[in-house]
């Protein structure tokens, strides 16, 4: 068994696609219209056949309160691995990305938390061991 698709709830799929591709650097993999929404996934360009991230509409009644509670408590919805958190932090800040937590060294991992503009906090993490 392996993870094939995971998702992040977004308030606007078109805006999310722009952010996740143009800013974060993911590549669009699947875009299938499904009525008002789309089955819209992105992947890492370093692993185009790897795990897909579904940019899932947050229209379900439970999604909004869930996302709001996580943001209010400063809890990231998910985490993405990077080779160098500080370099990625600098690159993304130069692109106008808002961070809620600057790079912080936790020993075996360095993390920073950003706002994905779609209602989520996202952690970037670098393993140091």
């Amino acid at each position: 068994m392996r993870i094939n698709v995971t998702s992040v709830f977004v308030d606007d799929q078109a805006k999310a696609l722009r952010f996740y591709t143009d800013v974060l650097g993911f590549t669009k993999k699947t875009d299938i219209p499904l009525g008002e929404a789309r089955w819209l996934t992105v992947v890492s360009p370093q692993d185009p056949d790897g795990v897909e991230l579904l940019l899932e509409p947050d229209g379900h009644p439970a999604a909004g309160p869930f996302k709001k509670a996580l943001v209010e408590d400063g809890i990231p919805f998910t985490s993405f691995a990077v080779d160098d958190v500080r370099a990625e932090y600098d690159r993304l800040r130069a692109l106008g990305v808002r961070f809620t937590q600057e790079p912080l060294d936790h020993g075996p991992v360095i993390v920073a938390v950003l706002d994905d503009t779609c209602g989520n906090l996202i952690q970037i993490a670098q393993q140091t061991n």
Side-chain angles (χ1 to χ4, degrees):
M1 190 175 301
R2 61 187 169 82
I3 298 170
N4 184 46
V5 176
T6 189
S7 64
V8 61
F9 291 117
V10 299
D11 57 15
D12 180 314
Q13 285 185 301
K15 178 176 71 170
L17 181 61
R18 284 190 302 275
F19 183 81
Y20 280 79
T21 56
D22 297 345
V23 178
L24 295 185
F26 291 105
T27 303
K28 181 171 71 171
K29 174 127 185 193
T30 308
D31 189 352
I32 301 170
L34 298 172
E36 294 180 21
R38 299 150 42 185
W39 181 266
L40 182 59
T41 67
V42 296
V43 294
S44 168
Q46 289 93 8
D47 192 9
D49 295 320
V51 176
E52 296 179 48
L53 179 66
L54 175 62
L55 303 177
E56 187 166 357
D58 65 2
H60 188 279
F66 171 72
K67 286 173 50 177
K68 184 177 184 222
L70 289 179
V71 170
E72 286 176 354
D73 289 345
I75 299 171
F77 186 86
T78 194
S79 182
F80 301 139
V82 297
D83 292 331
D84 183 333
V85 165
R86 288 179 180 87
E88 196 65 15
Y89 172 84
D90 291 341
R91 180 186 79 81
L92 292 172
R93 290 253 322 178
L95 292 172
V97 173
R98 184 178 76 82
F99 279 79
T100 61
Q101 178 187 303
E102 295 181 3
L104 188 59
D105 190 331
H106 288 288
V109 66
I110 300 170
V111 299
V113 179
L114 62 94
D115 178 341
D116 79 347
T117 74
C118 301
N120 304 290
L121 298 179
I122 305 294
Q123 177 176 274
I124 56 173
Q126 168 193 346
Q127 291 190 338
T128 56
N129 302 41

